[in-house]
Amino acid sequence: MEESIETRIIQKERLEGLWSCLPEEVICTFYEYLNFRDVEAASQTCRSWYAAFINNSKIHNNVEFVIHRKHSQALAALSRYPSRCKRITIEDFGLDTTETEWEQVLDCWKLFSDHVNHLRFYKCKITERQIESFLCSCISLVSLTVDCCDCADSDTDSDYDLINLVSVTHLEIKGTKNEYTPYSTDKSLIKLTNFMTNLVHLSLVKCYLDSQMLPRPEYNIVRRIVEPKFATIVSISVDQNCISRDQLVCLLKVPDLRLTSLNLPTETGFVDGAVINAIATHQTEIVHLFINISYISTEHFDLLCRHLEKLVTFHFYGTLSDSCWLESLMYFKELRTLIIQNIDFHDFSNFPEPTILQRLLDKPRDIQLTHLDIDFGLSFHLISKTAVNNVKECLRFVASRLLKLTFLRLSNCPLDENLFRDITTNLINLVVLRVKSCNISGDALTGLKNIEIDASRPPLRHLKRLTQLDLCDNKVTDVSLESAFTFCSLKKLSLRDCFQITDCGLVNLAAQPESFKRSIEELNLSFCYKVTDLGLSKLLPELKRLRVLNLKGCPQVTSKTLETVKRYCPKLRYLCISWDIYMSDKHSLWDTLPLLKLASNFDHDYDY
């Protein structure tokens, strides 16, 4: 018995020695998956872990430390490492916080606030004086965000010196959906912006700053922006709640204002000819533009495109009366990213004759576009055959001329087998291909119906650089999975909402070449409701590098899949699965995969 105890002690010492001898890069990798409190606890285990914590500034520069009201003691922990506190979020502090609590918070805050570069207030109900008490000591502040906060007037005037806010270059204000609460927010913001003479980026969303219900309209941040001292701003993002059309036109005409990025309200009809004329005449240096072009005439759209020759990113929303957006591509000399959302299919019934496409094809200049995102919005099952054919002509133009595309996303487009083959054959530089709800069949993936194509050489074989493929909500079948990816080395594969896939399809994926199985890191099978534990038990052991697995909406998946995950997926970091299944075996899962995180949805984080 004594020998066994001594053996255990020796083994424990050896294990501790191994952990302390890990390279600093490995220790920092562990830190990236922990919150600040856990990082601090882990850094106290031994000298090597403490040294990795102190010496690696990347951990602190990239991590946002959240100071919640219920965990205000975290301030004391942060104050021990003042030079490491770069990004801070202050959350859920309210008006009912006592004076004693505020004094304790501010005493700790002053110990490290001069190192803070990015400060965010989130869901706070605090007074103007309390906000200024936080800001007055932030001498290195670069970015300030006020998110879903209600700032009330102070009983007394504050005597804080906010001259340090001259260093702030980014200001972002996000209001709430309730337009009746933030009455005094506008006044507080005006006082703060008086010191921000070097402001570069301004974002105002759902602030209701220009509401007619404001008791004191003289406090209007948009009106103050027009003043010459704010001519340093180059990026503005606003919505219809904080600015009127007339104010927007006035803002765009400020003589010294030279915008490079402009994000305008998405409300239909807000942007009219006057706004377009102001942009085309006074803001020709814009590089990134987001705009709703609904109800804009073809002449005004053409005017906009002709004058913004330096545009790199163009994101427009809404409908046009014809295909003039195709011709507009020829005006842009530097355009790299084009995003088109909610195009009405009915407008394509007036799509011009093929002569316009021929004229575009005959133009010698190459188009430099690398990112294209088109969302037609409506279901193509509800429109005329003529409109469908016109849309296909538009997409054939894309496949024949935009040969430098590396990112292509098509949503709600009528893609048949021939058109899909044209895209995969011509756009050989694609790295990311996302086709959502485009009615792609299994035959289109494999090319089985085309007698000129060998069944063993699917259309995707041309895309040698492809790393991300999204086939969400298409008619992908088990048979198509047998040969569709034979020549692919994908890192991300999404088969979300492909309800025809069964366990046989997963077995076919498991039989793919080793190059395919070794490269897959993220797999999305959400809402493939025919998938069961049996199919996953065949597929998961083959995916040695799998890091992300999404099984949301798979009712036939049980806790047996967790056993497969524990045994064959040592590199898995994110798992999306039914909460009941996860809770049934969470402790054993954590013991085997301590870095695994459960996510309820990957749609936002991983853009599936």
Side-chain angles (χ1 to χ4, degrees), residues 514-563:
E514 287 297 322
S515 59
F516 172 82
K517 293 184 289 188
R518 285 197 305 265
S519 62
I520 288 291
E521 296 180 2
E522 300 182 16
L523 179 62
N524 189 348
L525 296 173
S526 56
F527 302 101
C528 297
Y529 59 85
K530 295 181 181 180
V531 169
T532 69
D533 298 322
L534 180 60
L536 291 170
S537 66
K538 301 294 184 181
L539 175 61
L540 295 182
E542 302 294 333
L543 307 181
K544 303 297 184 182
R545 300 183 60 182
L546 193 65
R547 296 181 64 254
V548 179
L549 178 61
N550 192 342
L551 298 174
K552 180 182 179 181
C554 299
Q556 300 190 56
V557 175
T558 67
S559 57
K560 292 181 180 179
T561 295
L562 294 184
E563 296 296 328

Side-chain angles (χ1 to χ4, degrees), residues 40-58:
E40 185 196 17
S43 67
Q44 305 300 320
T45 56
C46 63
R47 292 181 179 179
S48 60
W49 283 65
Y50 181 77
F53 173 72
I54 293 297
N55 297 332
N56 196 309
S57 59
K58 181 180 178 181

Side-chain angles (χ1 to χ4, degrees), residues 549-591:
L549 178 61
N550 192 342
L551 298 174
K552 180 182 179 181
C554 299
Q556 300 190 56
V557 175
T558 67
S559 57
K560 292 181 180 179
T561 295
L562 294 184
E563 296 296 328
T564 305
V565 167
K566 289 187 293 184
R567 185 173 180 181
Y568 297 107
C569 302
K571 296 186 178 182
L572 196 67
R573 295 294 177 265
Y574 296 91
L575 174 65
C576 185
I577 200 170
S578 170
W579 179 256
D580 295 336
I581 297 174
Y582 174 76
M583 293 299 293
S584 66
D585 197 20
K586 69 172 184 177
H587 296 295
S588 175
L589 195 61
W590 282 350
D591 292 339

Side-chain angles (χ1 to χ4, degrees), residues 265-288:
T266 59
E267 182 183 27
T268 300
F270 183 89
V271 177
D272 60 0
V275 175
I276 296 298
N277 286 327
I279 295 175
T281 306
H282 301 279
Q283 301 298 333
T284 57
E285 301 294 322
I286 290 179
V287 178
H288 307 282

